[in-house]
Amino acid sequence: MKRRTFLVSLILAMHTALPLLGVALAGKPLRQYLEFPPLTRYVDHPPFSWGHFTVGLLFLVSLSVPFSLRALAYLKNRTPRRPSLEKRTFPWWGWAAVAGGTVTWVLAWNRFPWFEPFQSHTFTPLWISYIIAVNAYSYKRGGKCMLVSDRGYLMLLFFASTVFWWVFEFLNRFVQNWYYLGGEGLTSSE
């Protein structure tokens, strides 16, 4: 456990420190890479290239074909699962998640004037509704799910995915491959 914690900490430190070290060695100012919210204005991206797209696509296909063939062979040769004798219904909390997700979806994609101040905060309830609904479906099919049987692990996954996403966002500051629309009103911490 200590070794795993050390390795995860080392990987996170490398993902944070090495890009900053590269910027410093290139003689660029660090300030623009540490601003909040991050703004994509320092990189001029080249136009779309069909050649680069095709090479990248062929590379990804060549990597995924062996895994896909192996997965298909596994599915073809596996023994069928015995159906459960116990008939389960979709739990009430799953229906609540579906209802909450539907309401949030409508609020997220419609432009109601009364909801405008909250429009940008609909991602989290949508995502949580989805996670709960998928857990409910898993519970209906197999009788267990992380939300019922392993809540601690599920909460750890929330934390780990948050850290992973923020590292991902941090690395985009250096390559600036994507940006968010609607952030024009945001200002940096400069």
Side-chain angles (χ1 to χ4, degrees):
M1 183 66 176
K2 287 183 180 181
R3 182 178 176 179
R4 183 177 296 166
T5 303
F6 172 75
L7 286 175
V8 168
S9 300
L10 180 65
I11 289 170
L12 284 173
M14 289 173 61
H15 276 83
T16 304
L18 291 178
L20 290 172
L21 178 64
V23 167
L25 291 174
K28 294 182 178 179
L30 287 177
R31 177 178 239 183
Q32 68 191 29
Y33 295 98
L34 299 175
E35 68 188 5
F36 186 83
L39 303 173
T40 54
R41 59 179 175 212
Y42 305 115
V43 176
D44 291 324
H45 294 289
F48 180 79
S49 165
W50 277 105
H52 286 95
F53 173 78
T54 305
V55 169
L57 180 64
L58 290 174
F59 177 70
L60 290 175
V61 167
S62 71
L63 290 178
S64 62
V65 164
F67 294 107
S68 300
L69 292 176
R70 184 144 186 173
L72 288 173
Y74 170 78
L75 290 174
K76 182 180 176 185
N77 297 328
R78 75 181 175 135
T79 57
R81 205 174 124 209
R82 288 189 350 202
S84 173
L85 301 176
E86 185 180 340
K87 187 90 171 168
R88 286 179 214 80
T89 60
F90 197 72
W92 69 267
W93 43 271
W95 287 115
V98 169
T102 302
V103 168
T104 308
W105 187 268
V106 169
L107 292 173
W109 289 102
N110 285 292
R111 299 297 181 235
F112 299 120
W114 57 271
F115 194 71
E116 190 175 340
F118 309 104
Q119 194 83 38
S120 61
H121 304 289
T122 55
F123 176 80
T124 301
L126 276 170
W127 192 234
I128 290 174
S129 296
Y130 171 77
I131 291 169
I132 293 172
V134 168
N135 270 271
Y137 181 69
S138 178
Y139 182 78
K140 179 190 181 305
R141 289 214 25 163
K144 60 183 179 175
C145 67
M146 283 192 279
L147 189 61
V148 171
S149 62
D150 206 355
R151 287 187 190 116
Y153 184 69
L154 184 63
M155 291 301 117
L156 183 64
L157 285 177
F158 269 97
F159 174 74
S161 67
T162 302
V163 170
F164 175 80
W165 187 255
W166 279 106
V167 167
F168 199 62
E169 288 284 350
F170 175 74
L171 293 176
N172 184 53
R173 292 172 181 241
F174 301 93
V175 294
Q176 298 189 3
N177 281 336
W178 73 90
Y179 59 93
Y180 297 102
L181 297 176
E184 297 83 19
L186 301 174
T187 60
S188 69
S189 59
E190 295 179 296

